[in-house]
Amino acid sequence: MKVPAHYRRFVLIAGTAAIAGIAEVSAQPADIRGTIDYEGAARIPAGTIEIRIDDPSSPHGQQGRDAATRLDSDGGARTLDFTLTSPLIAEASPAARIVAELKRADGWLLSRGSAKLTAHTPVRITLFTAMYQP
């Protein structure tokens, strides 16, 4: 049975549009949602928290620094919620981690924590003291 030319053209156009739609969806940045808390369920100290992807097997080096999210802590909260949006999430290796660092206004690192990057699952990062606090 011979297929009419206009039907073949329709199928070709529809197939091309479907492939373009799939490519566009996969190019969209992914979201990782999570919660940050402090060791011992203490209040998170005042400062700025930088959350990024750290992937040691990435050919791009520390690519996550470009896609970092920043949160401000006023010293009163025990937990903070975050969303990290990045196209790098889809490209991450199994060794990738989400790293959170809390720094004072003068740039000193107060605490740090990390969690394994898992797709479609909220992460929980606990910050641990990195320097003595008087």
Side-chain angles (χ1 to χ4, degrees):
M1 180 171 142
K2 186 163 177 125
V3 178
H6 70 280
Y7 180 75
R8 286 184 290 198
R9 194 174 321 128
F10 172 76
V11 170
L12 178 65
I13 291 169
T16 303
I19 290 171
I22 291 169
E24 186 174 321
V25 168
S26 65
Q28 295 295 320
D31 288 346
I32 294 291
R33 297 182 191 288
T35 304
I36 295 175
D37 59 14
Y38 203 75
E39 66 180 311
R43 295 186 193 279
I44 299 171
T48 301
I49 302 171
E50 180 183 278
I51 306 160
R52 68 177 186 283
I53 299 170
D54 187 14
D55 190 351
S57 39
S58 169
H60 305 294
Q62 290 192 348
Q63 61 183 350
R65 291 201 185 273
D66 297 335
T69 295
R70 286 182 172 67
L71 299 174
D72 289 324
S73 173
D74 62 4
R78 294 191 189 277
T79 63
L80 293 172
D81 294 330
F82 70 90
T83 301
L84 180 63
T85 302
S86 172
L88 304 174
I89 294 169
E91 302 170 10
S93 75
R97 300 190 67 75
I98 298 180
V99 176
E101 293 181 339
L102 173 63
K103 295 182 180 178
R104 292 191 317 202
D106 62 4
W108 278 88
L109 179 66
L110 293 177
S111 58
R112 184 179 192 279
S114 66
K116 184 174 177 150
L117 178 63
T118 54
H120 311 296
T121 305
V123 296
R124 183 174 202 95
I125 299 173
T126 300
L127 297 173
F128 294 95
T129 302
M131 72 170 267
Y132 175 74
Q133 294 177 294

